[in-house]
Amino acid sequence: MDRVAQKGWWRKDLLGIQDLSREEIEIILDTAESFKEISTREIKKVPTLRGKTIVHLFYEPSTRTRTSFEIAAKRLSADAVNISVSTSSVVKGETLLDTARNLQAMELDVLVIRHAAAGTPHMLAEVLPASVINAGDGFREHPTQALLDMLTVRERRGTLEGLRLTIVGDIAHSRVARSNIYGFRTMGAKVRVVGPATMIPVGVEELGVEVFYDLKEGIREADVIMMLRIQKERLQGAFFPSEREYARFFGLTLEALKEARPDVLIMHPGPMNRGVEIAPEVADGPYSVILDQVTNGVAVRMAVLYLLTGGARIGVAH
Ligand code: CP
């Protein structure tokens, strides 16, 4: 913790990976690494964020992100409140801004927000004194997902510098892809993207990635393969003939994996569509670190909550 306290962390919000420096990413990953041990204790709780109030406001479904934010808050002894949009006054027509201002009036310290509209967390961060954490905004960014992905790879490989990451699938509609491209590039990795031409955004090369349209070519010599779900909820129109066709050309099978390095890591942010973008035997196989990603999600979210609420500034120990 000394290193973090000395270097300091001065951001109020975590809105994306795009604007984070390498040093800031390292501070978060180092802090997360130091928090991992708490989740292995018999009593998985420390008093670090006692008295802080954290509200989770999710306008889109979530299993991993919302649950791990709640667990992270509780492990740090914060008061965590989950708001289900379907049973809130949003259904009576209350605007997002009014909802957020009402929550602020109850003296919340952190608002964790997931919303289908890109830029929503940025707008709230400007008007709320509370810290705002982006838990996914449309197809723009999902910063804590990229942080937990980077932590998972760094744990296995020691560094991200010089590693080759291949991201496969619906790049155009994926906030996970975007955040990981920013993060892994900032940390010195080489990033490739693979998918049908309809799912590769125009101009993606400007983000510093190499583009492939053939799965086997794209995963050759990759150190890490990250498979993505097709973002059906964001698709309008036909982007490929059928799921069967998609699985045939872009699904990661044991056969396709023969092209990859023998020590390749297989990742997926979840939820998976088994048999579409990833074969069950690959998802559950020896190269898979998919459940490690989920475990690391708790530590990364503990780190982000701790840093944003001033733990590092005031040198709070855990
Ligand atoms: N990876 C991820 O964001 O999963 P959830 O949608 O379940 O939170």
mmCIF file of all heavy atoms in Angstrom, residues 68-92:
data_model
loop_
_atom_site.group_PDB
_atom_site.id
_atom_site.type_symbol
_atom_site.label_atom_id
_atom_site.label_comp_id
_atom_site.label_asym_id
_atom_site.label_seq_id
_atom_site.Cartn_x
_atom_site.Cartn_y
_atom_site.Cartn_z
ATOM 1 N N SER A 68 -20.087 -8.605 -8.458
ATOM 2 C CA SER A 68 -18.724 -8.426 -7.933
ATOM 3 C C SER A 68 -18.534 -7.022 -7.363
ATOM 4 O O SER A 68 -17.777 -6.850 -6.404
ATOM 5 C CB SER A 68 -17.671 -8.756 -8.988
ATOM 6 O OG SER A 68 -17.798 -7.919 -10.090
ATOM 7 N N PHE A 69 -19.216 -6.019 -7.910
ATOM 8 C CA PHE A 69 -19.156 -4.694 -7.269
ATOM 9 C C PHE A 69 -19.769 -4.758 -5.869
ATOM 10 O O PHE A 69 -19.245 -4.180 -4.914
ATOM 11 C CB PHE A 69 -19.890 -3.643 -8.116
ATOM 12 C CG PHE A 69 -18.979 -2.822 -8.986
ATOM 13 C CD1 PHE A 69 -19.053 -2.885 -10.363
ATOM 14 C CD2 PHE A 69 -18.025 -1.977 -8.424
ATOM 15 C CE1 PHE A 69 -18.198 -2.131 -11.174
ATOM 16 C CE2 PHE A 69 -17.177 -1.213 -9.217
ATOM 17 C CZ PHE A 69 -17.265 -1.296 -10.594
ATOM 18 N N GLU A 70 -20.873 -5.478 -5.757
ATOM 19 C CA GLU A 70 -21.532 -5.564 -4.442
ATOM 20 C C GLU A 70 -20.648 -6.322 -3.452
ATOM 21 O O GLU A 70 -20.470 -5.892 -2.301
ATOM 22 C CB GLU A 70 -22.898 -6.247 -4.589
ATOM 23 C CG GLU A 70 -23.677 -6.248 -3.290
ATOM 24 C CD GLU A 70 -25.063 -6.874 -3.398
ATOM 25 O OE1 GLU A 70 -25.503 -7.179 -4.524
ATOM 26 O OE2 GLU A 70 -25.688 -7.064 -2.343
ATOM 27 N N ILE A 71 -20.067 -7.423 -3.915
ATOM 28 C CA ILE A 71 -19.181 -8.198 -3.033
ATOM 29 C C ILE A 71 -17.976 -7.345 -2.650
ATOM 30 O O ILE A 71 -17.554 -7.318 -1.486
ATOM 31 C CB ILE A 71 -18.752 -9.514 -3.724
ATOM 32 C CG1 ILE A 71 -19.945 -10.467 -3.806
ATOM 33 C CG2 ILE A 71 -17.585 -10.170 -2.991
ATOM 34 C CD1 ILE A 71 -19.691 -11.724 -4.623
ATOM 35 N N ALA A 72 -17.422 -6.627 -3.632
ATOM 36 C CA ALA A 72 -16.236 -5.781 -3.365
ATOM 37 C C ALA A 72 -16.562 -4.743 -2.289
ATOM 38 O O ALA A 72 -15.798 -4.547 -1.336
ATOM 39 C CB ALA A 72 -15.791 -5.103 -4.655
ATOM 40 N N ALA A 73 -17.703 -4.085 -2.440
ATOM 41 C CA ALA A 73 -18.093 -3.059 -1.470
ATOM 42 C C ALA A 73 -18.259 -3.669 -0.078
ATOM 43 O O ALA A 73 -17.794 -3.111 0.928
ATOM 44 C CB ALA A 73 -19.393 -2.392 -1.920
ATOM 45 N N LYS A 74 -18.896 -4.841 -0.028
ATOM 46 C CA LYS A 74 -19.153 -5.476 1.275
ATOM 47 C C LYS A 74 -17.864 -5.973 1.912
ATOM 48 O O LYS A 74 -17.704 -5.899 3.131
ATOM 49 C CB LYS A 74 -20.173 -6.597 1.111
ATOM 50 C CG LYS A 74 -21.568 -6.012 0.863
ATOM 51 C CD LYS A 74 -22.649 -7.026 0.734
ATOM 52 C CE LYS A 74 -24.006 -6.298 0.762
ATOM 53 N NZ LYS A 74 -25.099 -7.095 0.253
ATOM 54 N N ARG A 75 -16.940 -6.464 1.101
ATOM 55 C CA ARG A 75 -15.651 -6.926 1.676
ATOM 56 C C ARG A 75 -14.869 -5.753 2.270
ATOM 57 O O ARG A 75 -14.046 -5.946 3.147
ATOM 58 C CB ARG A 75 -14.825 -7.648 0.608
ATOM 59 C CG ARG A 75 -15.500 -8.934 0.227
ATOM 60 C CD ARG A 75 -14.638 -10.092 -0.113
ATOM 61 N NE ARG A 75 -15.536 -11.239 -0.199
ATOM 62 C CZ ARG A 75 -15.497 -12.177 -1.121
ATOM 63 N NH1 ARG A 75 -14.555 -12.144 -2.032
ATOM 64 N NH2 ARG A 75 -16.367 -13.183 -1.114
ATOM 65 N N LEU A 76 -15.154 -4.545 1.783
ATOM 66 C CA LEU A 76 -14.473 -3.361 2.325
ATOM 67 C C LEU A 76 -15.323 -2.656 3.386
ATOM 68 O O LEU A 76 -15.007 -1.545 3.807
ATOM 69 C CB LEU A 76 -14.134 -2.398 1.183
ATOM 70 C CG LEU A 76 -13.090 -2.916 0.176
ATOM 71 C CD1 LEU A 76 -12.955 -1.970 -1.004
ATOM 72 C CD2 LEU A 76 -11.733 -3.107 0.841
ATOM 73 N N SER A 77 -16.460 -3.277 3.762
ATOM 74 C CA SER A 77 -17.354 -2.768 4.821
ATOM 75 C C SER A 77 -18.124 -1.507 4.438
ATOM 76 O O SER A 77 -18.599 -0.782 5.320
ATOM 77 C CB SER A 77 -16.595 -2.505 6.134
ATOM 78 O OG SER A 77 -16.021 -3.684 6.598
ATOM 79 N N ALA A 78 -18.232 -1.222 3.143
ATOM 80 C CA ALA A 78 -19.082 -0.100 2.713
ATOM 81 C C ALA A 78 -20.543 -0.542 2.759
ATOM 82 O O ALA A 78 -20.848 -1.734 2.776
ATOM 83 C CB ALA A 78 -18.710 0.315 1.297
ATOM 84 N N ASP A 79 -21.445 0.437 2.793
ATOM 85 C CA ASP A 79 -22.876 0.129 2.677
ATOM 86 C C ASP A 79 -23.228 0.129 1.197
ATOM 87 O O ASP A 79 -23.110 1.167 0.529
ATOM 88 C CB ASP A 79 -23.703 1.184 3.426
ATOM 89 C CG ASP A 79 -23.390 1.156 4.917
ATOM 90 O OD1 ASP A 79 -23.368 0.056 5.489
ATOM 91 O OD2 ASP A 79 -23.136 2.234 5.486
ATOM 92 N N ALA A 80 -23.627 -1.040 0.686
ATOM 93 C CA ALA A 80 -23.894 -1.176 -0.752
ATOM 94 C C ALA A 80 -25.385 -1.339 -0.989
ATOM 95 O O ALA A 80 -26.051 -2.136 -0.324
ATOM 96 C CB ALA A 80 -23.150 -2.381 -1.304
ATOM 97 N N VAL A 81 -25.912 -0.549 -1.924
ATOM 98 C CA VAL A 81 -27.340 -0.590 -2.236
ATOM 99 C C VAL A 81 -27.502 -0.870 -3.727
ATOM 100 O O VAL A 81 -26.904 -0.188 -4.568
ATOM 101 C CB VAL A 81 -28.000 0.775 -1.906
ATOM 102 C CG1 VAL A 81 -29.485 0.744 -2.239
ATOM 103 C CG2 VAL A 81 -27.772 1.147 -0.456
ATOM 104 N N ASN A 82 -28.287 -1.893 -4.051
ATOM 105 C CA ASN A 82 -28.566 -2.205 -5.461
ATOM 106 C C ASN A 82 -29.925 -1.663 -5.838
ATOM 107 O O ASN A 82 -30.911 -1.935 -5.153
ATOM 108 C CB ASN A 82 -28.590 -3.715 -5.693
ATOM 109 C CG ASN A 82 -27.202 -4.310 -5.594
ATOM 110 O OD1 ASN A 82 -26.241 -3.705 -6.051
ATOM 111 N ND2 ASN A 82 -27.103 -5.472 -4.981
ATOM 112 N N ILE A 83 -29.983 -0.925 -6.931
ATOM 113 C CA ILE A 83 -31.284 -0.435 -7.401
ATOM 114 C C ILE A 83 -31.663 -1.200 -8.652
ATOM 115 O O ILE A 83 -30.914 -1.232 -9.633
ATOM 116 C CB ILE A 83 -31.232 1.068 -7.717
ATOM 117 C CG1 ILE A 83 -30.896 1.820 -6.433
ATOM 118 C CG2 ILE A 83 -32.556 1.542 -8.308
ATOM 119 C CD1 ILE A 83 -30.905 3.303 -6.583
ATOM 120 N N SER A 84 -32.814 -1.831 -8.593
ATOM 121 C CA SER A 84 -33.323 -2.515 -9.771
ATOM 122 C C SER A 84 -34.182 -1.522 -10.545
ATOM 123 O O SER A 84 -35.200 -1.048 -10.047
ATOM 124 C CB SER A 84 -34.147 -3.723 -9.339
ATOM 125 O OG SER A 84 -34.839 -4.209 -10.447
ATOM 126 N N VAL A 85 -33.740 -1.186 -11.737
ATOM 127 C CA VAL A 85 -34.433 -0.147 -12.507
ATOM 128 C C VAL A 85 -35.888 -0.524 -12.755
ATOM 129 O O VAL A 85 -36.781 0.316 -12.719
ATOM 130 C CB VAL A 85 -33.664 0.114 -13.828
ATOM 131 C CG1 VAL A 85 -34.502 0.916 -14.804
ATOM 132 C CG2 VAL A 85 -32.358 0.845 -13.521
ATOM 133 N N SER A 86 -36.147 -1.829 -12.936
ATOM 134 C CA SER A 86 -37.523 -2.246 -13.265
ATOM 135 C C SER A 86 -38.482 -2.027 -12.102
ATOM 136 O O SER A 86 -39.700 -1.963 -12.306
ATOM 137 C CB SER A 86 -37.535 -3.714 -13.695
ATOM 138 O OG SER A 86 -37.085 -4.509 -12.631
ATOM 139 N N THR A 87 -37.980 -1.913 -10.868
ATOM 140 C CA THR A 87 -38.879 -1.662 -9.739
ATOM 141 C C THR A 87 -38.640 -0.277 -9.130
ATOM 142 O O THR A 87 -39.077 0.000 -8.005
ATOM 143 C CB THR A 87 -38.692 -2.741 -8.643
ATOM 144 O OG1 THR A 87 -37.309 -2.791 -8.285
ATOM 145 C CG2 THR A 87 -39.149 -4.103 -9.119
ATOM 146 N N SER A 88 -37.927 0.577 -9.849
ATOM 147 C CA SER A 88 -37.670 1.935 -9.345
ATOM 148 C C SER A 88 -38.649 2.919 -9.989
ATOM 149 O O SER A 88 -39.450 2.544 -10.855
ATOM 150 C CB SER A 88 -36.239 2.360 -9.691
ATOM 151 O OG SER A 88 -36.166 2.646 -11.074
ATOM 152 N N SER A 89 -38.527 4.183 -9.622
ATOM 153 C CA SER A 89 -39.423 5.191 -10.190
ATOM 154 C C SER A 89 -39.052 5.572 -11.616
ATOM 155 O O SER A 89 -39.729 6.405 -12.233
ATOM 156 C CB SER A 89 -39.448 6.429 -9.292
ATOM 157 O OG SER A 89 -40.160 6.117 -8.108
ATOM 158 N N VAL A 90 -38.013 4.941 -12.147
ATOM 159 C CA VAL A 90 -37.689 5.119 -13.579
ATOM 160 C C VAL A 90 -38.878 4.682 -14.431
ATOM 161 O O VAL A 90 -39.221 5.330 -15.426
ATOM 162 C CB VAL A 90 -36.427 4.296 -13.951
ATOM 163 C CG1 VAL A 90 -36.234 4.243 -15.465
ATOM 164 C CG2 VAL A 90 -35.191 4.889 -13.278
ATOM 165 N N VAL A 91 -39.569 3.595 -13.996
ATOM 166 C CA VAL A 91 -40.706 3.102 -14.783
ATOM 167 C C VAL A 91 -41.887 4.085 -14.737
ATOM 168 O O VAL A 91 -42.804 3.997 -15.547
ATOM 169 C CB VAL A 91 -41.171 1.686 -14.344
ATOM 170 C CG1 VAL A 91 -40.121 0.642 -14.632
ATOM 171 C CG2 VAL A 91 -41.573 1.667 -12.886
ATOM 172 N N LYS A 92 -41.854 5.042 -13.789
ATOM 173 C CA LYS A 92 -42.913 6.065 -13.748
ATOM 174 C C LYS A 92 -42.509 7.288 -14.555
ATOM 175 O O LYS A 92 -43.189 8.313 -14.544
ATOM 176 C CB LYS A 92 -43.183 6.485 -12.301
ATOM 177 C CG LYS A 92 -43.659 5.361 -11.405
ATOM 178 C CD LYS A 92 -43.893 5.917 -9.995
ATOM 179 C CE LYS A 92 -43.695 4.878 -8.931
ATOM 180 N NZ LYS A 92 -43.408 5.445 -7.621
#
